[in-house]
Amino acid sequence: MFVAATMSSPSPQGNSPSPPPAPSSAPLGHPEITVDGQHLLSQLENTATLGRVSSRTNDVPTIAQGLATIQPGPANLLNPLGHHITRDVDTDVDHGPGGASDARSVSSGRSSKFGFRKRLSRLSKGDPKVKETVPALAASSAPISLVGTEGCIQSVAPDRNAVSVSLGLHSPVQSAGMLSTPLAVPATQPQPSPAGNGTLRVDIFPENVINPIYKTDLPKPHARVDKTPQLVYCCSLLSKAQEPLPPTSDSDVSQNSPLDDKEKEWVQLIGPVLQDRYRWLVEQLVRAFAEHPLKASDVVTEIVLVGPVLDRDTYRSLLSCFISNFEQATPLDVTLLQGLVQLVECASSGYLVDDDLVRITTVLSKELSITHIGTNDHPLHLTLSLARVLDVMVTGEVKDLNRDRDHRPMLQLLDGLKNNNNVIQRYEATYAYQALQYAPDNETPLQVLWRYAKVTAAGAGAVSSVFKLDPEGLLKGIERLQEIGTGVVGAVSTGIEVVEALRVGADGVVRATESKFDFMKKRSWYLALQGTALFIHQGRLSDFNLVVSQAPCRHNPNFQWGVCRQIGEIVVDPLWDILIRQQAVDFLGELYRGGSDWKPHVDVKRWILTILIQISGTSDVSIKDRAGALLLDLKKGGIVEYPGSFSLSRRLPLPTASPLLAQVQEIIKVEYDLHVLRLMRIADYKQAVYIDPIAKLNLQDTDDNLFPLMDKVRDFIASSSQVMLVLGDSGAGKSTFNRHLEHELWQEYKAGGRIPLFVNLPSLERPEKDLVGEQLRTYNFLEDQIRELKLHRQLILICDGYDESQLTSNLHTTNLFNRSGQWDVKLLITCRTQYLGPDYRGRFEPKAVDQYVNVANDLFQQAVIAAFSREQIEDYVERYVPLEPRTWVKKDYMDKLEAIPNLMDLVRNPFLLTLSLEALPTVVQGKIDLSRLRVTRAELYDTFVRHWMGVNKRRLQDQKLSESRQIALDILCADGFERHGILYQMDLATSIFQKQDGRPVVDYSHMRDRKTWKAQFFGLDPERALLRDSSLLSRAGNQYRFVHRSVLEYFFSRTISGPVKEHDEFYPPVHSGTPAPSPTLSTHPLSQRNLVVELSIIQFLAERVQLDSGFKDELLAIIELSKTDGQAAQAAANAITILVKAGVRFNGVDLRSIRVPGADISGGEFDSAQLQEADLTGVNLTKSWIRQADFMRAQMKGVQFGELPYLKENESVLSCAYSPDGTSLAIGHYLGGINIYDTSIWTLARTFQGHQSRVNSIAYSPTGHQLLSGSYDKTVRLWDCESGSCIFVLEGHIKEVLTVAFSPSGKQVASAEEGKTVRLWDVQTGANLFNLTGHSALIRSISYSPDRHMVVSVGVDGVIRFFDIQTGQPGEVWESQCGEVKSVAFSPDGLEIAVGHGNGELLLYDTTTGKPTRNWKAHGNVITGVSFSPNSQWIATCSWDSTVKVWSAANGSLLSVFVGHSSDIFQVAFSPNGLQLASCSFDCTIRLWDVSSLGTGMDVEGGSDPLTSAFFSPDGRVLFCGTKSGAVRQFDAGSGESGLAIVCGDRPVKCIAVSPDGLRIASVGKYGGVVTVWNTGTGQADIVLRGHTYEVNAVAFSADNRWIATGSDDMRVRLWDARSGILDRVLEGHTHFVVCLVFSPNSHRILSGSQDGTIRAWDLDSRLLRSVWLWNFASYNTAEGGEGRGEWRCLVRIRDIFGDVKSMAWKPDTLEFSIGCANGSLQVWKLVETSSSSDAWSAQLVWSAGNPVLAASDAIFAGAVGLSSANQQLLTQRCKGTAA
């Protein structure tokens, strides 16, 4: 049994043995380690743990019962270092490798899962969990005892400072009273021991040291790492810095060294980006090695270095590459072999798997088996390598060695090598043999015993009963095994102990532990060498010294041999300190001379000499000399070394070059330069305030449909789409968003990821050809790098300023993006909305890869930046205020923004918000009534520019400038710094437009451009430099530009007109921007270029007109001058364009002979204007008011009216359709006829007769040869277009047919009746194929899908149903969001369907998802027709509101409103070329609209608010209009300028009344019984009048402002106090609704009118009710002077009123009156006496508001030159004058 070791009392003599210790209380059968008084049951070798079951089905048979009778006792655990020996210990000591002792020695089982090395490490470190068993008093003085085997260890002198440690090393045959031998373990370092007593010195290595690591110079953070060792050192430091420091004791200096101060400082400088760079670098090295065709020694040496710093996946990739190459190497590559082993040894925990090591050992043993021994040193290399790999397997507890396949062949191979004549080979093979014994195989202990029993016994039957586990047979089998194992399995004293390893599993199956019982061959010296190797690895050299000198197995020559090799490895390793290496040389000498306590074998002495000879060849002089001197001394004994040369180093030498690193330099340069670019772009990002923009899919979307633009862009980046277009107005924040997006993407960037690249398109020369390459060159990327990025990387291109670059090409197509071998990109482009025309999608949509003619709509997305919401404005102000010291707080800014009229709407533009915040303190300074203050964009820019220049002036004055600059600054300040700065920017803007055609980026190189125009702005002159640096310019390298395109346009506009007054509150004048026109105007800026296309400049100048009457007069003078000066034509065209956009009206103006070619006067008012002989070539007159204008002999070639002539029919037209080739237009009549028009000359070509009632729907076949019609007569007819004959009458409908459709194949048609059924018909036979049901109400519209698979139907039930046209089976069913559906149409590309609703809303659905993508309020009434343009880009809608509207299918923006029909419109259709639009109406006309000029610059007011009432204020200065939306709008009666809108609620305003002083209005909402009185100045409610029980119909103020009277459906009149709102009285008497009220002029009476047919007069003074009739009429005077009968006479007729007239009002004391229409338009007219006769009157337009419309009645075009035939016909229809 085992005996525990305890502490003995100190011996009086230092070297005498201690007396026997008392028996320990520890459990018997276990070795015991006791430290500091605590027991530790150590299982260093033989702990039996529950293990796994073998996978082979026949290994361990199962049993059903009987196991309960087996009661195994505790297993015997063997001594880990000094195993029990069955013979004399000296016999074992004297045997070298291959001796008989190997066959008879007894080895322990494997260690527990912690392993020997870990437990030994814990012990030597002073683990606090390992305690001493003796009291502290005894521990302080007692030496440490080691219970040994029969060969006792010599004691050493006690050390009073030692930590007491007791190792219980027991043998099964030892008695409990066995003596102990003291072993001293010092607390700090060992004390020298006498050397003359035959013991080894324990002070050769006096102390533990920090384990050596390779160090190099640390690179600067952004410096290139050129050598692989330096890279490995950097990575190791970064890894170490991230790991938590393990707990250490004071005496333990052998842990990995902490970072020193220099290393810590360096690590702090290396951010995550650089760490990623280093990691990426080592990954690239591994990749380069794998791709390297020749695994030469230099690349192997280099790549092995990175092993310790690799992540798991990269490490395993490298290991696999090594193994594969070694397997294929012929002949043996020693360097590759050494590298493989070194890579295995450096693996981090969890990196290796069992299969790796099994595969390596298998290939090594195979290579070793075929290598001829003695021919070279390959066998030795293979043996050493195999041993080192097996060492790793031992420590890693690999379990997958197969005994028959792997284990046994290797044992036999190594057993043969043990008998080799080469002594070195023999010893190394012995070591490998032992390593293999400890490397576990796949046998359980039971299988081991069975195998030995099977070999030794007569046959397998001798142990069969054991496997059957029959209780009776089990006992007999154990007895037999005991007999067989006598003298063989000496570690097992009784047979039953063999079965102690058996355990019963949960399923009743016998399990066996994993401990191997191959006791015949395991030796303890191998484990001892493992421990010493661990000590060396950890730098614990003092502990190493102690174990070597006192190990129980120290006499074994194999142990001695291994120790000598370990010491030799220390000597030759340059990483160790030179002093330690010298001490190691001395250690070899000490071992050579070892006395009785070491007794070196003669083989070992020869080995030491051989090692010293190898050391003598090193380059280190001190080591070489020390080894040489020792060698001379030792050789005096006559012993000689072994012949040959042998390597002692465990590592490959450090590489002198880094070829792999050099190979990947270019790739590394790319990533590193990207890293530098990333840092630069992040550092360059300067955005003081950033607010995430909100966007929408179209301009008509409500706020409910807004979404964060960043989320949309992130979705785009993650999607498969390739191009995204972001639209926005000037100053909407597009560039700001782009830079912020780039900033975020760079911050998130990881090496190898998608590269964000901000591209300023105007700065590139050829963005349409080499966009990416040109941009990268600006960042100094080389061509090879660009090529590498092009082939291997992905980019996100953020392209800013498409409009500023004046591009018209498709960047995705022209750059061949995302095609094979081309750039792999995501393309995000921003552009101003104003820059694009209607057909803009073609500039951005990617083309399908295999079909260049087709667009790939699924690869394209877009969004429109919405104006700031109030919340965003508040957020911006809140962030803006703290940026610099200010006297205002957030509330101050918000109060002023809300108080100034229209300013809140203006600052919804982010750029204007910035300008406003800068300007506001100056703007409101000294102002009391902010409600009367008005601010324009031009004024804001004026104030902001002045503020900017003032700030920069003060900045320069505070700086310490050079002498030349200081002189220049003093001169500029003396003459007005701000003035010079603004002049500088005005001149620069002018030059940009003159020299670069408005291209905003100026590229200036002083050496190249010093003699060009650029030098006057960007040269080295100090004054210019100061002005340039203070201007609103940005610079990127040699490129300059204004900070925003609108700033460039602002300064250019100032060259034409600047601020107004000398002491203007916004901006003092700095330059006379409005020079008086010269006779020729040749030098005037208006003459230099056509500004019609520069909408932003036109807007600035239009605002100047509103602010400066002088500028208006100047422009009028230019127009006047053009009558006589032909050179003024360009200036005059710009002038009249500016004036019209400023709202200047030319009604009745003499414009004869003006020259304004190319002007845009769309929407202008020219009522009764004189334009005879004017040059109007190319003028845009779309929707202009030219009623009664005279165009006689005017030049009108190329004039655009925006409309075509209409077709007049004798009856209502309910349907229309273009033929597929566009040559014919078919229309369906109310009475059943069908007319066919020739579209080339617009004449009637043919008439089809057959239907008995109205033709509700018609459709052409795809070929155009047939026409389909559906009628109210319940039939569907198919017509032959050539002959006009009816081919089939398709009968079967039981109700009226409302809609028909032709399939795209032309083989099938569909029809739907007023019922609930859709019928499908065969075109060839006329047979009814299917009846499609499912709708619950009548069907309104049907449409075929372009792919010929489906038909869709919609109806009153609000359901959208799809049907398969081949089978008639129902498909998907979508519920409409807006109720009743009136019309439906597929887009030609089949991706969307448009659905028109009864409430006027239009919805677009994605056909792939079935989800609505966009919806908006398109009309104020039912949408009766929907049609897509042939290119799917536009949608036309028509409605019962008598309008036709054209929308952008991409974003829902309104492109045009066509007004002309006077009644309900039933259908609308695009011509096949998409340039015309036809609409048919109940007014008996087919109107043809020109859509080729959509989006040409005219302002389109979408969704005008219909008017319900209109009243002038008593003084005639203000016109009040009630609207359908519930607001009351105010207009200046003279100019038409809109004022404050009063929101009265969400219901239509039914009636309003204005107080006599004009300061208050009373309003009543529809269906409301409440009257609200509003303050017209503030828009706030003063009082609310409640009392009526039904709807209020009339309200009136008394003339004295005292009373308010209201009349209601409750048949009562109520009188209220106008100031307090208190009810004064209720006037009753009417028997029906009260509908009108009026006060008498003296306010004494009220007259009320009622639907009871009476007018009642109420006396307010007497409060008596009286009824009277009042009449007022005009009569003729008779000849006698008396009065005769009167009559009504029409003085004038106004025909150009396009909408239902809802209200009229006369302006007091004038001949002016207003007309308000249901479509939202408002006009003010005046009656003009045209002759001396009182009967000659005419009406002239004063002003108008609302959707513009072409009004041309009574205009004269006689003799007009150049009018096209279509325009002539149009004007003939619109006016009574005769066109030439």
Side-chain angles (χ1 to χ4, degrees), residues 478-539:
I478 292 174
E479 182 179 358
R480 176 60 180 158
L481 284 176
Q482 183 180 8
E483 296 175 0
I484 295 175
T486 301
V488 178
V489 189
V492 183
S493 58
T494 62
I496 193 63
E497 293 178 0
V498 176
V499 193
E500 288 178 346
L502 298 178
R503 296 291 184 267
V504 180
D507 55 357
V509 179
V510 174
R511 309 294 187 206
T513 64
E514 288 189 67
S515 300
K516 304 300 186 288
F517 287 83
D518 192 357
F519 302 114
M520 294 182 62
K521 300 180 180 180
K522 288 186 179 179
R523 301 298 302 273
S524 62
W525 57 263
Y526 172 78
L527 292 180
L529 288 175
Q530 289 291 292
T532 56
L534 175 65
F535 289 155
I536 293 174
H537 176 73
Q538 295 180 342

Side-chain angles (χ1 to χ4, degrees), residues 273-293:
V273 173
L274 286 178
Q275 293 181 31
D276 290 343
R277 175 193 172 202
Y278 288 140
R279 284 191 289 267
W280 179 85
L281 207 54
V282 294
E283 291 173 1
Q284 292 299 316
L285 283 175
V286 173
R287 182 180 300 175
F289 175 77
E291 296 173 354
H292 202 282

